Amino acid sequence: MSEREEVIGYLKNNRYEKKICINCGKTFWTLDAERKTCGEVPCDPYSFIGNPPTSRKYSLEEMREEFLSFFEKLGHKRVKRYPIVARWREDVYLVNASIYDFQPHVTSGKVPPPGNPLVVSQPCIRTVDLDNVGKTGRHLSVFEMGGAKSFNFPGKEIYWKDKAIELAVKFLQHLGVKKEEVVFKEKPWAGGGNAGSSVEVMVRGLEVATLVFMDMVETPDGDVEIDGIRYRKMDNRIVDTGYGIERFTWLSQGTDTVYEALYPQMVSDLMNEIDLGRPDFLREFINAYASEDGSEVKFLASLGADERTSLDRLSNIYILADHSRAITILLYDGLVPSNSKAGYVLRMLIRRALLARKRLGMGSDLWDLVDQQKERFSDILDVRLESSAREIVKLEIERFDDLLAKGDSTIKKYAKGGAIKAEDVLLLFESNGLPIEYVRERCEALGIKFPEKLEKSKGFSNTRREPKEKEHFLKGKYPETVRSYYENERILEFNSKVVGVEGKSVVLENTYFYPEGGGQPSDRGVILSSGKKATVEDVRIVDGTIVHLVDDAEGIAVGDTVHGFVSTDRRRRLMQNHTATHIILSSIRDILGPHIWQAGAQKDERVSRLDVTHYRDISPEEISKIEERANEIVRMNLPLHKEFVNRNDAEANFGFTLFQGGIPDGNKLRLVEIPGVDAEGCGGTHLDYTGEVGYIKVVKVERIQDGIIRFNFAAGKSAVEYSNSQSNQLLEIREKMGDDPAKAFEAVNHNLEETKKAIESGFEYSNVKFGNRELKIMEVNESIAESISRSLSGSSGVVVSKERIRVASSSPDISALEIMHILEKKGFVRGGGNSTYAQGKVLKENIGLKDIEEAIFNHS
């Protein structure tokens, strides 16, 4: 940072002295002329423990309210907390700072903030220091970040650095902290695509807040570099202050650790349950840990065996208190456990909590702790999700118990020569779901040497979404195309002027052709120009410009007036299927619960699909109820309201379920509402009434990966065609096999088995032993590879085509993702999946069965 950026007016004008810490060498500001250190551990001890500087003690809830009301009285609009699952963002899955609520739509200036200035207390999840939870006395997996924000846009200044620091000092004084005890440390800051300068706020060794002055945005050609990422100045200047509500609570109570301050009753109850007394050396140990010089290792070595056991048991109690709150917030925000992305974080938190319970030998159920946290924080939770939360915890306990029952045999399988490799420990964690600390404990018990150093697992850190690649169709720049299809979705014939022609790409001034987007395929049709017909084969949108990809653009010139015809049958079918998608999603939520979220969708002329988050398989009875509810909504013939509205107004009225199908880029959101049924931000084409859908038929329901269920369905004319086809097939079966249903089903099953045998015998395949199980390896054409891999019920196998490798497992002893990792290490493939199904893109040509067989056999 430049000197100009470092100079903070308020501090200079209020006689704060700028100094260099004699221990760490970092810059700090203080009113204490005698101070030589920066005010933060390890340079300064935790002198607030047993001696809080505030005028009274606060509970977590009281401190949250004290913070919010203080800034509210000073003109900040109080904003309700956002979900901890970042539904409104395309770049991250979980929130780990309060500014995440407003990135990138507000910070970029595209959307006005919901208040300016504003104040919010935002629950956040951070997994970077998860291994330190329960040990250091201060680390948490879940915390509330109090954010007092001001958004300074060109021509509209709210407040900047001086005022932000002044308010921080006033809040501390309001709590009873003397100005002379406050120390400020300067440092660069970066996060979520933005950067700037910042000051950290210290009181008696504890960092309680960070005041960020954000005035840069991430860009490859930026002239400022922070942590290896380049940034440039932006026109907007944003005050992003993060007050640690838990840290302030701890500061006010002065307890030995943050856990006693946050969860006094729960910690006390758990200690009583296992008859554990508080170690009298705890405060000394916490300060040793805070020194960050390895003093805690020496301290532990000085303790007796019973004292170390006591400390370890207390650490597990702290883990239970912290993790149960994190689990509760994630569950009540609708997250479903899985083996990837945000669901992976929830699953691992549950398993870490279960391990802590196991170590303590406790009889109380994890759900009891989750329920206590729910009761305590019910004012910021969606308590409608209690039923699904309870069932998820029950299922996760059963799954983890089954996993631990095979734990030793699984670990032994990876141990070679009395030792286990670091890469295999991570594989057990990421593919099998065995927590690293559990593997370490079992290796010690089994006499297996555990690696001294492990790399950071990608599992917890990989909570950022993969950026979408932008399409490039055009060399020139063109104005945004007028999207006439929003004016009237029923107009399918129109005139327009040509503004650009590049190869087979045609750009019009306005168009009624819908471009591919939001899971809806583009329209098809024709463009007539001077008697010549160009067939529209695809339509795309790039930066607001709609591109018509035609079979032949010869004869079409810039300035021509052309006549467009949109395919009527295709548009009608897509409108029916897209409207049906909204109806069936609402029906699934009605039947299965409000934890259901859309995880993907693809509309089609014939059979469409909708992927949703869910924690178990769906029964035939539930499928019938979902279909029945969907058709009930169709029969109600409800109107669809379609209008462009302000994003903030829509969020205030409907919440974040608006973003089931995607996130708008700017301030205007196209709201598609079926009153009393569904409301979503959606850019697709829709009918005017639900009755126009005609009929919805669920074609197939399948679990495509852990935590994701796919609904294949048809609507309108397509649904009728599908039902007629099914009826005809059933009539054929009946004619050929007789009227007795039992005999007919028996004959069908026999034929399916015979067909399966015939299919398998027609392919080249081999068998390989993996552990004590047999794995079938098959080489097939890509056109049938998917269906073959999905049909391996009752067995496990690897299906290889020229393009992809698929692994299916029906055995608890074989993880499909583990097999995929083995093939990845050989450089054969790059992919992902879960324990039952994984797939990936082939990276090497001419991979044969022998290559795969050898790789799996050698690893096994």
Side-chain angles (χ1 to χ4, degrees), residues 26-43:
K26 292 180 180 176
T27 302
F28 68 95
W29 296 77
T30 179
L31 289 173
D32 184 355
E34 304 300 317
R35 174 173 285 280
K36 293 181 172 58
T37 50
C38 64
E40 183 182 18
V41 293
C43 300

Side-chain angles (χ1 to χ4, degrees), residues 81-97 100-101 122-126 142 326-338 340-346 349 380-381 385 463 465 594-599 613 655-657 659-660 663:
R81 71 103 166 173
Y82 282 46
I84 205 166
V85 184
R87 310 284 188 188
W88 63 96
R89 294 189 62 164
E90 292 184 326
D91 57 338
V92 295
Y93 293 105
L94 297 172
V95 173
N96 67 29
Y100 274 39
D101 298 353
Q122 176 60 43
C124 303
I125 287 277
R126 282 191 189 167
V142 62
I327 292 163
T328 302
I329 295 176
L330 289 169
L331 285 172
Y332 281 89
D333 269 2
L335 190 60
V336 171
S338 72
S340 63
K341 302 172 184 174
Y344 181 82
V345 174
L346 174 56
L349 285 168
I380 63 167
L381 299 175
L385 277 77
T463 53
R465 300 178 193 259
H595 66 282
I596 293 290
W597 280 84
Q598 180 173 314
T613 57
F656 293 96
T657 53
F659 304 131
Q660 296 279 359
I663 299 99

